[in-house]
Amino acid sequence: MKTEQLIATLAAQLQPAPPARTPGTATLLWTAAAWLCGLALVAYGLGLRPDLSTALVSPSVIGLVLGPALLAAACARACLILAVPGRRLPWLATGPVWVLGFAVAVSIASLLPSSWGHLASGADWHGGRCGLLLTVCAVLPAALLMRSVQRRAPVRPFACGVLAGIAAGAIGWTVVSLHCPSLNAMHLLLYHALPVGLPIAVSGYAAHRWLRW
Amino acid sequence: MVANLSKEAESPEQERDASFSLAMLAAQNGDSEAYRSLLQVLRGLAMGYSRRFLTRMGKFDAATQEDVVQEILMAVHAKRHTYDVQQPFLPWFFAIARYKLIDHGRRERRQPLRVTLDAVDDYLAAPTAEEPGTAQDLELLLARLPDKARRALTLVKLDGLSVAEAAASTGMSESAIKVSIHRTLKSLRQRLRRTEAP
């Protein structure tokens, strides 16, 4: 078929195509859906941490819940912006990702020296459960975000996948923070922060493999 | 509504971009004429862009260029809903064009044997007495196609019917027949590449 014919055919078959939701709106919808799933899971499945009402006045607990939640929203927005051809990530989209990531890393690192003994004593033998829960909690948010990206036209699928993985992992981290009462830095690093790497790796690979169009 | 139109155009480029935005907005609302005109202009842009890109890669030839330009136009068609009228049009279009060209280059590297769209017709040429296996190969290829695609391709490319006659015979529209044949040939070409690649 010659290009002229193709153009005639495409024009003849044209159907109205309402513009996709803006990245901002899509981020809001995704965040609401991910939070709903996470809260439902923690409320009806895992159970809220017993000291939640008192712990939520502590700045470190608020930070552990809100930090990853904001990181998730920032990454989801960056991911959805990147899924539109020709869009560049503005500083406002990438800034929160770096700032929050850095803040979380610094706060955990500052608590590390006092945590070695706790971990070495075997008090955290159940920590793997937190890692597993985080990974499970990240599955649905990751799938929702990847689906949303797939409907767009990502010209950098791998980067979109990595950002979707961070967003989904951070949602899992938030959910686990509402469930797990530990404030031990080593526990937080090993079982709340490091497991985020799994959704990142899986999403990045899946996006590289299947988000081509 | 169209942000880059609400501001006074500062240069001819911005004015041109704004006119593309308007045309795409009309296309998103289903205006075929505006869409046809826009595609004609985009075709020219895609030709120039792909020529430079393919030449730089040392892979330029007219058939490849036309093939890639068609892929770009089909991608624009399939992803037209992702264009946001608040944003400039040309970066959106060239990002798609670049993505399709890189994708094309990647396929070329993986499967160095290249069969152009026209060459697929040669693969589908009627078997001769000297080529006893060709008819079976052709049947095998056709057997894997969906019913509608097989009928459209067989009627037009093998039986020699016109598109209008094939449309009347199958009950499909002429446009549907053309698009079906185009897509089927493309998928056959990819299968042949996979089969023949070392």
Side-chain angles (χ1 to χ4, degrees):
Chain A
M1 184 189 271
K2 295 289 177 200
T3 308
E4 279 298 329
Q5 285 175 285
L6 179 70
I7 290 174
T9 307
L10 294 178
Q13 290 192 332
L14 183 70
Q15 298 287 327
R21 290 189 186 95
T22 62
T25 313
T27 303
L28 280 178
L29 288 173
W30 176 81
T31 307
W35 265 93
L36 271 180
C37 296
L39 289 178
L41 191 66
V42 82
Y44 297 107
L46 309 175
L48 287 165
R49 54 191 287 175
D51 61 340
L52 186 67
S53 54
T54 50
L56 271 183
V57 294
S58 151
S60 55
V61 175
I62 293 173
L64 281 173
V65 174
L66 274 188
L70 291 174
L71 183 66
C75 285
R77 181 159 182 271
C79 170
L80 289 163
I81 288 176
L82 214 56
V84 179
R87 290 287 299 269
R88 287 179 187 280
L89 283 178
W91 185 89
L92 275 177
T94 52
V97 176
W98 293 110
V99 171
L100 288 164
F102 185 70
V104 168
V106 165
S107 60
I108 290 178
S110 65
L111 291 170
L112 273 180
S114 59
S115 309
W116 284 112
H118 181 74
L119 189 74
S121 69
D124 252 345
W125 60 269
H126 64 284
R129 185 166 172 268
C130 285
L132 183 66
L133 286 178
L134 186 149
T135 311
V136 171
C137 291
V139 172
L140 195 58
L144 286 175
L145 195 50
M146 295 282 268
R147 180 81 186 112
S148 187
V149 170
Q150 192 188 30
R151 288 189 186 133
R152 289 151 208 271
V155 292
R156 292 170 63 193
F158 179 72
C160 280
V162 167
L163 283 166
I166 302 175
I171 286 286
W173 185 347
T174 310
V175 171
V176 171
S177 296
L178 289 171
H179 166 70
C180 169
S182 176
L183 278 179
N184 181 271
M186 276 305 283
H187 175 93
L188 295 178
L189 178 66
L190 288 179
Y191 304 117
H192 291 205
L194 281 187
V196 175
L198 188 61
I200 294 174
V202 173
S203 293
Y205 175 75
H208 174 70
R209 190 93 173 73
W210 290 296
L211 282 190
R212 299 201 170 281
W213 46 278
Chain B
M1 181 156 48
V2 183
N4 50 340
L5 288 181
S6 59
K7 291 177 278 185
E8 201 170 309
E10 288 166 10
S11 65
E13 285 78 23
Q14 285 176 327
E15 206 171 315
R16 186 167 171 237
D17 195 284
S19 70
F20 289 148
S21 293
L22 264 185
M24 185 48 107
L25 180 62
Q28 286 178 336
N29 291 323
D31 183 341
S32 304
E33 276 313 305
Y35 189 49
R36 185 195 300 265
S37 312
L38 177 66
L39 287 180
Q40 294 285 7
V41 180
L42 295 185
R43 178 197 177 189
L45 292 177
M47 292 288 269
Y49 189 64
S50 57
R51 173 184 284 272
R52 284 193 298 277
F53 196 98
L54 292 170
T55 306
R56 214 166 43 235
M57 285 168 62
K59 301 262 168 109
F60 178 79
D61 69 66
T64 306
Q65 186 191 26
E66 179 151 11
D67 221 11
V68 173
V69 167
Q70 290 191 7
E71 279 185 37
I72 293 171
L73 294 180
M74 286 172 80
V76 165
H77 181 74
K79 298 294 182 183
R80 64 192 186 280
H81 65 284
T82 65
Y83 174 64
D84 177 3
V85 289
Q86 305 284 344
Q87 303 294 327
F89 178 83
L90 287 175
W92 177 84
F93 169 71
F94 282 117
I96 290 180
R98 185 177 155 76
Y99 177 77
K100 281 291 158 189
L101 280 160
I102 290 173
D103 204 34
H104 176 82
R106 197 177 286 131
R107 280 201 312 266
E108 288 279 302
R109 275 199 302 276
R110 260 199 311 257
Q111 290 153 354
L113 176 72
R114 190 170 55 75
V115 182
T116 62
L117 205 56
D118 295 334
V120 173
D121 284 341
D122 300 336
Y123 278 91
L124 295 176
T128 62
E130 295 80 39
E131 297 169 319
T134 313
Q136 285 143 345
D137 291 346
L138 185 62
E139 277 170 21
L140 274 175
L141 273 174
L142 291 176
R144 290 184 197 159
L145 297 173
D147 281 346
K148 276 189 174 176
R150 185 174 57 243
R151 285 193 68 192
L153 187 70
T154 309
L155 288 173
V156 176
K157 292 290 179 187
L158 298 180
D159 297 349
L161 265 61
S162 70
V163 171
E165 287 166 340
S169 159
T170 56
M172 295 162 72
S173 69
E174 288 186 30
S175 304
I177 292 273
K178 287 179 192 169
V179 170
S180 169
I181 292 174
H182 180 73
R183 287 184 180 159
T184 309
L185 286 177
K186 201 171 165 186
S187 89
L188 282 177
R189 182 183 53 175
Q190 283 165 353
R191 277 184 201 170
L192 287 169
R193 274 179 181 166
R194 279 197 293 271
T195 312
E196 302 218 358

